[in-house]
């Protein structure tokens, strides 16, 4: 009965709560311009059919990225790449940290040699705090009569970008014309990535942007190429006629620019790069980002009353209106009310503590940058 009485006044709380609020803001909270990329490196084999790790390293160096995801990486795989550890070689030449996530991990040709591996990797100028090779559905190319099974090769890396802990994912989806496996892979990736909410996903999706199997990803992410009027085609490199390589950024971040690097001869794909703004402390850069965070916690069942989400969404729409019309006084006043309301609903146990903390931190940061 007490809980029912508490939730019955939720809507009125948004109107009448006017307790004093302390907006906490530290000048150490900074916005960081992060340059990221994705590149299917074709095992280091260029348009001339020759393996050349130095040429590949030069291509990546010219991109001048902070973090880049790579697909079709060989590690002691075979003669096509001189049995090199490609990730180790590239990281050494570029002075970057790396993590490799094999899709295939096979016995060596000669007993005593390292295993033959093929998969995806990440290179980073920023510290890789932790990394893991996650499983998604795959249809193996290495066994006869394969069936869909959960296999490794979905790279997850937590990277410290000047105080912003970015979850960076690298993927390479199934190449077959039938989209069924890709549909399963997208669902698997979404489940994994739902563990966090400050994510960047890059990779070779082997599907065009209008493909229905990719559409669920655009619910949670911004396709960085939406910022451009050109087609963004990446394959084949010598005459690109399709876009299958993507950078997707959390809606809590701000995409500032994106481009395809043309005139690349070190692979049969062209690399994609993007400038993405993140905030130290993992804050949203906009009210749209705050709205997405509220949607995220609704999906995480952090709201213990079904009316919470719609009420919060209504308040976000009010904030976006005042922001658009540059009504600073009302914008700040409504931010204060929203901050207090979240706190009180948290104290009553109607919103989970983790959600309360993160939503209020977003509110306080956005309050501090309103001008």
């Amino acid at each position: 009965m007490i809980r029912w009485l508490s939730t019955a006044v939720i809507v009125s709380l948004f109107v009448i709560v006017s307790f004093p609020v302390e907006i906490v803001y530290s000048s150490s909270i900074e916005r960081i311009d992060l340059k990221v990329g994705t590149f299917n490196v074709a095992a280091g084999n260029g348009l001339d059919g020759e393996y050349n790790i130095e040429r590949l390293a030069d291509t990546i160096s010219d991109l001048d990225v902070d973090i880049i995801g790579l697909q079709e990486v060989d590690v002691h795989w075979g003669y096509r790449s001189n049995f090199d550890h490609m990730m180790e070689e590239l990281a050494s030449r570029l002075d970057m940290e790396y993590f490799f996530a094999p899709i295939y991990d096979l016995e060596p040709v000669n007993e005593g040699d390292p295993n033959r591996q093929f998969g995806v990797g990440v290179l980073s100028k920023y510290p890789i705090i932790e990394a893991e090779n996650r499983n998604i559905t795959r249809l193996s190319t290495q066994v006869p009569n394969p069936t869909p099974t959960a296999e490794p090769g979905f790279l997850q890396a937590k990277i410290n970008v000047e105080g912003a802990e970015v979850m960076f994912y690298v993927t390479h989806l199934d190449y077959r014309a039938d989209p069924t496996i890709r549909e399963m892979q997208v669902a698997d990736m979404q489940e994994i990535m739902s563990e966090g909410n400050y994510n960047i996903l890059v990779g070779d999706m082997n599907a065009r942007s209008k493909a229905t199997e990719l559409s669920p990803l655009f619910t949670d992410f911004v396709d960085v190429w939406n910022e451009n009027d050109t087609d963004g085609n990446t394959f084949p490199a010598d005459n690109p006629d399709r876009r299958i390589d993507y950078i997707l950024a959390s809606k809590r971040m701000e995409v500032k620019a994106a481009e395809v690097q043309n005139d690349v001869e070190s692979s049969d794909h062209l690399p994609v790069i993007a400038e993405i703004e993140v905030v130290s402390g993992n804050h949203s850069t906009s009210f749209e980002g705050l709205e997405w965070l509220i949607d995220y916690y609704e999906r995480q069942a952090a709201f213990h009353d079904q009316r919470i989400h719609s009420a919060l969404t209504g308040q976000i729409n009010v904030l976006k209106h005042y922001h658009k019309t540059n009504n600073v006084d009302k914008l700040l006043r409504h931010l204060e009310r929203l901050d207090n309301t979240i706190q009180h609903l948290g104290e009553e146990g109607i919103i989970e503590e983790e959600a309360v903390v993160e939503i209020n931190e977003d509110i306080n940061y956005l309050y501090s940058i309103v001008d």
Side-chain angles (χ1 to χ4, degrees):
M1 182 65 174
I2 293 174
R3 172 55 55 82
W4 184 89
L5 289 173
S6 297
T7 57
V9 298
I10 286 172
V11 176
S12 62
L13 271 173
F14 284 104
V15 178
I16 66 174
V17 168
S18 57
F19 302 103
V21 61
E22 179 184 1
I23 298 296
V24 180
Y25 172 62
S26 169
S27 59
S28 64
I29 299 178
E30 297 181 352
R31 297 168 82 102
I32 303 114
D33 288 330
L34 178 66
K35 193 172 183 182
V36 304
T38 186
F39 191 17
N40 182 320
V41 298
N45 288 267
L47 294 178
D48 57 6
E50 298 294 326
Y51 173 74
N52 189 327
I53 193 72
E54 182 177 359
R55 177 176 58 185
L56 179 58
D58 287 344
T59 297
I60 297 172
S61 177
D62 290 342
L63 298 176
D64 192 29
V65 289
D66 298 308
I67 309 171
I68 187 167
L70 307 178
Q71 303 85 44
E72 294 194 17
V73 179
D74 280 1
V75 169
H76 309 302
W77 180 260
Y79 292 104
R80 70 182 184 187
S81 51
N82 290 341
F83 289 93
D84 282 349
H85 191 311
M86 287 182 60
M87 290 303 302
E88 199 170 79
E89 287 276 351
L90 291 170
S92 176
R93 291 171 183 269
L94 296 166
D95 192 25
M96 300 174 79
E97 294 190 17
Y98 81 90
F99 180 76
F100 175 64
I103 297 171
Y104 301 123
D105 187 1
L106 309 179
E107 293 184 358
V109 174
N110 300 311
E111 186 177 352
D113 287 346
N115 274 11
R116 301 171 57 239
Q117 297 179 318
F118 171 84
V120 300
V122 60
L123 295 166
S124 176
K125 292 180 181 177
Y126 289 107
I128 299 174
I129 302 170
E130 57 188 48
E132 190 174 350
N133 188 0
R134 306 294 296 268
N135 288 355
I136 60 175
T137 302
R138 294 196 182 276
L139 198 60
S140 176
T141 63
Q142 302 299 306
V143 298
N145 304 315
T147 58
T149 55
E151 300 291 344
F154 183 45
L155 188 154
Q156 171 183 294
K158 181 187 290 186
I159 301 176
N160 185 348
V161 181
E162 299 181 35
E165 291 189 351
V166 175
M167 296 300 295
F168 194 85
Y169 296 90
V170 185
T171 195
H172 191 182
L173 301 188
D174 190 76
Y175 67 92
R176 296 168 179 86
D178 185 338
T180 303
I181 299 298
R182 286 192 297 278
E183 290 173 356
M184 299 168 71
Q185 291 174 326
V186 166
D188 293 340
M189 293 191 304
Q190 283 190 296
E191 182 175 355
I192 291 169
M193 293 186 295
S194 70
E195 298 169 6
N197 56 51
Y198 218 64
N199 305 334
I200 295 175
L201 170 65
V202 308
D204 178 354
M205 308 289 186
N206 272 313
R208 306 190 189 202
S209 60
K210 300 295 185 182
T212 57
E213 66 267 29
L214 298 188
S215 60
L217 294 173
F218 302 135
T219 301
D220 287 331
F221 291 97
V222 174
D223 179 355
V224 300
W225 205 255
N226 289 342
E227 304 299 311
N228 289 268
D229 295 327
T230 55
D231 52 33
N233 291 343
T234 58
F235 183 83
D238 55 350
N239 186 25
D241 62 9
R242 71 203 73 173
R243 182 164 77 98
I244 59 175
D245 300 276
Y246 296 81
I247 298 174
L248 306 180
S250 166
K251 292 185 176 180
R252 301 185 66 205
M253 304 170 181
E254 181 180 351
V255 178
K256 302 182 75 173
E259 64 177 297
V260 171
Q261 185 69 32
N262 295 304
D263 302 320
V264 168
E265 298 183 355
S266 54
S267 172
D268 61 349
H269 285 244
L270 297 175
V272 184
I273 56 177
E275 294 179 19
I276 300 171
E277 191 171 65
V278 299
V279 183
S280 176
N282 291 28
H283 301 294
S284 297
T285 60
S286 66
F287 292 105
E288 288 76 14
L290 174 59
E291 182 177 34
W292 183 91
L293 184 64
I294 288 170
D295 290 344
Y296 169 81
Y297 276 115
E298 194 273 335
R299 295 195 301 270
Q300 297 296 310
F303 304 146
H304 298 166
D305 186 286
Q306 62 183 6
R307 290 166 289 183
I308 292 288
H309 179 255
S310 60
L312 291 176
T313 299
Q315 284 298 299
I316 295 298
N317 287 332
V318 171
L319 292 171
K320 288 193 293 186
H321 169 73
Y322 287 137
H323 184 252
K324 183 178 180 179
T325 57
N326 200 31
N327 193 329
V328 175
D329 289 342
K330 287 189 175 180
L331 180 59
L332 293 177
R333 187 158 60 249
H334 277 267
L335 274 169
E336 290 175 355
R337 287 179 177 175
L338 181 59
D339 183 88
N340 277 306
T341 300
I342 296 293
Q343 291 282 8
H344 282 283
L345 293 176
E347 289 167 4
E348 293 193 22
I350 302 172
I351 301 180
E352 292 286 340
E353 181 179 357
E354 179 185 348
V356 169
V357 170
E358 196 157 15
I359 292 170
N360 277 131
E361 285 180 350
D362 258 18
I363 292 170
N364 293 342
Y365 174 71
L366 291 169
Y367 187 99
S368 73
I369 63 172
V370 170
D371 54 18

